Amino acid sequence: MIRIYGIASCDTCRKARQWLTSAGIEHAWIDLRTDGITRERLEQWREVLGDAALINKRSKTWRDFDTKQRQATEAEPLPVLVDHPTLIKRPILETPTTTLAGFSAARYEAALAGAD
């Protein structure tokens, strides 16, 4: 099963979902804002993606954090990401063999080749 995690109001998430639909790839949509995210799932993503690819430092939430909150997030991001899923770089695409952060048609095409 292919899953895409994101936030409905995010333009990049909408582009990724449109790309998947246009390519005829069935997928499940999980809205991080309404559905939330588990620490266990974040731990899996962290193993694959690393902290730098998981934390969205361009998000409004990050910009609203003070220096102390940013440092705490960088030191131990998982509890903060559970509480503030808008800090997660998105969309997150999960396939049976790959996890990707962000959207690139070329990366999606390569990751999903034959995975429909």
Side-chain angles (χ1 to χ4, degrees):
M1 168 56 89
I2 295 170
R3 293 184 183 96
I4 185 165
Y5 297 79
I7 295 174
S9 61
C10 173
D11 288 338
T12 305
C13 292
R14 283 195 293 259
K15 287 178 190 174
R17 292 175 72 192
Q18 286 176 327
W19 186 91
L20 290 167
T21 300
S22 295
I25 298 171
E26 289 188 36
H27 58 281
W29 165 251
I30 298 91
D31 191 311
L32 294 168
R33 184 175 280 149
T34 58
D35 300 325
I37 192 72
T38 65
R39 183 181 176 101
E40 293 75 24
R41 176 80 53 191
L42 285 169
E43 287 171 351
Q44 292 169 356
W45 293 347
R46 186 182 198 186
E47 268 187 46
V48 175
L49 302 170
D51 291 344
L54 198 54
I55 301 169
N56 183 4
K57 294 185 177 179
R58 295 176 60 188
S59 74
K60 181 175 179 345
T61 305
W62 180 262
R63 292 191 309 267
D64 289 345
F65 276 6
D66 62 27
T67 302
K68 186 176 178 179
Q69 289 171 306
R70 289 179 183 177
Q71 289 172 341
T73 301
E74 288 175 325
E76 185 48 53
L78 298 185
V80 181
L81 294 174
V82 168
D83 290 341
H84 301 279
T86 56
L87 273 175
I88 298 170
K89 187 176 275 188
R90 55 195 183 265
I92 301 286
L93 178 78
E94 281 185 340
T95 74
T97 59
T98 306
T99 301
L100 301 174
F103 172 68
S104 158
R107 288 177 59 223
Y108 273 36
E109 189 171 341
L112 295 168
D116 52 352

